Amino acid sequence: MSGQAWWQRGVVYQIYPRSFADSNGDGVGDLRGILERVGYLAELGVDAVWISPIYPSPMADFGYDVSNYTDIHPLFGSLDDLRELVHRVHALGMKLILDFVPNHTSNEHPWFLEAKSSRTNEKRQFYLWQDAKPDGSPPNNWLSVFGGSAWTWDETTGQYYYHAFLPEQPDLNWRHPEVRRQMYAAMRFWLELGVDGFRVDVLWHLIKDAEWRDNPPNPDYRAGEPPYTTLLPAYSTDQPEVFEIVREMRRVVEEYDGRVLIGEIYLPISRLVSYYGAAGDGAHLPFNFQLIVLPWRASDIAAAVSEYEAALPPGAWPNWVLGNHDQARIATRIGLRQARVAAMLLLTLRGTPTLYYGDELGLRDVPILPEQYQDPQGKNIGLSRDPARTPMQWSAAHNAGFTTGRPWLPVADDYEHVNVERELADPDSMLSLYRRLIALRRSEPAFVAGHYRPIVAGGDIVAYTREHDGRRWLVALNLGGQPAELSLSALGAGGEIVVGTSRQRQGQRVAEQLALAGDDGVIVRLD
Ligand code: NOJ
């Protein structure tokens, strides 16, 4: 596997730092907490850790509102803590990826404070200001992802400013050369410090239509969906000029050896793949969220894998994501039994897998009362992301071993059974399954470098082979609850089950017909 870069070979693990491990008892996770737990990550077998934002921030959007791009929020620790973490992660053979949030700053960032102080301030053009319409209304119909107009009126200077998210998150003007220069300098600051790359927040948002045209209505909008989706963001996102910026970011990252550029991009496959860059000079990994956004149905999943494989430009490396801090947890979306099938899918498809902290334990969304919502999206439009951000469950100790203080979000009440300590001791646990899957992926080049060939199975089955250097593997997954069978005659071989979602299947021989129980998944080494 020596031909592959680490970000192609490896498994990425996302940490939501507020919720991973709290070292000082203030109820919020921190860098020293992560430091104490890096051994767990190394043993799990992941290769890279991505940490959601840890920069100084008023926390209007829990760190996605940055007020200083080159420092650490004291809540999380210090620059020295981060240096130590980089060192420890590297010593264990892993990589550290930071979140970079270039689309918007906090409204408390010194640039914005200056920009809103007067129309002639030299930082004014760092942001996106427009006059009101003659009737005083906002310059166009664009909506904030978090509800309401994307424009907020500034009394002092008598103009509106644009914010794709909260009013506390004013969008930067990426057409301004000085904005680019400063942001690239911030990237270099972290790369110099030794971090191995970035996950770039809302990369497809960076450039907006120069004429500020109205977005068209979404003909497919259905009542109950987020208000933002009543319009199609045709002019506010995914503009052609964004690719120049993606290329520039890639060049910054490439000034250093072996770093990675990952883009957060929610777009259909046909648009997503353009973020690899016309000449392979864009993001190394434009995040592929198909497994999050699609219905969990064999036909949809199989079709999406095929479409994605076919759409990848030459040389582009695929990737798959099962969960993140913005989405309901996988075990809640599809149930615990199917979450085991999903783990097998994620870790055997072709491409870099990204998993979300706690999903390896089978954590579920924790119900949180509206009065207790922390997340601004929950407070504004009722769609709280808090349930998927609750504390990591380390042990059966008080607060699941996450904190000695009062956790910022409630700990799930199943923590006495669902926790790292217990699951490590149980060979049938979700964690043990994840460990087996990751270990197999690490030891068998076919899962990283091998060809992917779909098998048309029908019904609820998703099946494919991975093949490398004469070694051939079959992955067969039952995405339904009823027993199903897959004929292996077209493969011309039987084999042995090496990993099953149910451990009892391991070591079984299979010949012409492979029988799968409901919610069953197997990985077969073909003869
Ligand atoms: C995407 C991040 O993942 C999400 O948590 C955040 O609220 C928005 N971008 C705004 O930064």
Side-chain angles (χ1 to χ4, degrees), residues 9 46 125 143 161 165 175 181 210 251 273 321 424 470:
R9 279 192 308 270
V46 302
Q125 301 312 322
L143 297 172
Y161 67 89
F165 297 90
R175 290 197 176 88
R181 213 184 57 75
R251 282 204 291 271
V273 294
V321 184
L424 279 177

Side-chain angles (χ1 to χ4, degrees), residues 61 64 104 146 165 169 199 201-202 264 325-326 385 389:
D61 188 21
Y64 285 96
H104 42 267
F146 292 150
F165 297 90
Q169 295 167 295
R199 170 271 191 189
D201 193 62
V202 296
E264 186 211 20
H325 64 292
D326 295 327
R385 298 168 293 181
R389 297 176 174 180

Side-chain angles (χ1 to χ4, degrees), residues 177-417:
E178 191 56 18
V179 166
R180 296 191 190 189
R181 213 184 57 75
Q182 299 261 8
M183 294 303 272
Y184 300 152
M187 290 172 78
R188 289 190 185 97
F189 174 87
W190 298 108
L191 294 165
E192 293 285 339
L193 192 145
V195 312
D196 299 287
F198 301 102
R199 170 271 191 189
V200 183
D201 193 62
V202 296
L203 186 57
W204 83 115
H205 271 260
L206 294 187
I207 290 283
K208 351 284 171 186
D209 181 40
E211 295 169 40
W212 300 105
R213 281 169 283 188
D214 274 352
N215 277 328
N218 174 4
D220 299 324
Y221 178 77
R222 279 192 307 263
E225 289 174 349
Y228 174 73
T229 61
T230 55
L231 301 179
L232 294 173
Y235 294 111
S236 49
T237 64
D238 194 27
Q239 302 298 295
E241 273 176 85
V242 77
F243 296 106
E244 188 183 318
I245 295 167
V246 182
R247 276 196 300 276
E248 288 176 1
M249 285 184 174
R250 169 71 173 257
R251 282 204 291 271
V252 171
V253 164
E254 288 200 333
E255 289 167 19
Y256 303 80
D257 277 342
R259 316 296 167 102
V260 72
L261 187 69
I262 303 177
E264 186 211 20
I265 301 153
Y266 282 90
L267 285 174
I269 291 171
S270 58
R271 293 297 315 137
L272 174 69
V273 294
S274 58
Y275 285 76
Y276 282 106
D281 49 0
H284 294 103
L285 302 175
F287 261 155
N288 165 14
F289 296 123
Q290 297 305 308
L291 300 181
I292 291 178
V293 298
L294 285 178
W296 195 252
R297 258 198 313 262
S299 52
D300 292 82
I301 302 288
V305 180
S306 296
E307 186 192 346
Y308 183 59
E309 282 280 348
L312 287 169
W317 188 258
N319 77 91
W320 297 93
V321 184
L322 205 52
N324 63 41
H325 64 292
D326 295 327
Q327 310 290 341
R329 283 191 178 272
I330 184 73
T332 294
R333 277 188 276 128
I334 64 176
L336 259 183
R337 290 161 64 88
Q338 277 297 322
R340 296 173 78 95
V341 175
M344 190 170 273
L345 177 70
L346 174 75
L347 291 159
T348 55
L349 280 172
R350 200 175 74 87
T352 306
T354 297
L355 63 109
Y356 182 51
Y357 88 95
D359 281 353
E360 77 278 20
L361 305 177
L363 294 198
R364 281 181 278 206
D365 283 8
V366 176
I368 293 175
L369 295 171
E371 310 81 88
Q372 282 157 8
Y373 283 169
Q374 303 277 337
D375 177 22
Q377 183 175 284
K379 292 181 185 169
N380 292 356
I381 56 172
L383 298 171
S384 180
R385 298 168 293 181
D386 295 331
R389 297 176 174 180
T390 61
M392 179 67 171
Q393 295 167 207
W394 294 103
S395 69
H398 186 54
N399 289 326
F402 163 70
T403 181
T404 54
R406 190 164 175 269
W408 78 287
L409 282 176
V411 176
D413 45 14
D414 63 7
Y415 77 91
E416 286 177 351
H417 309 283

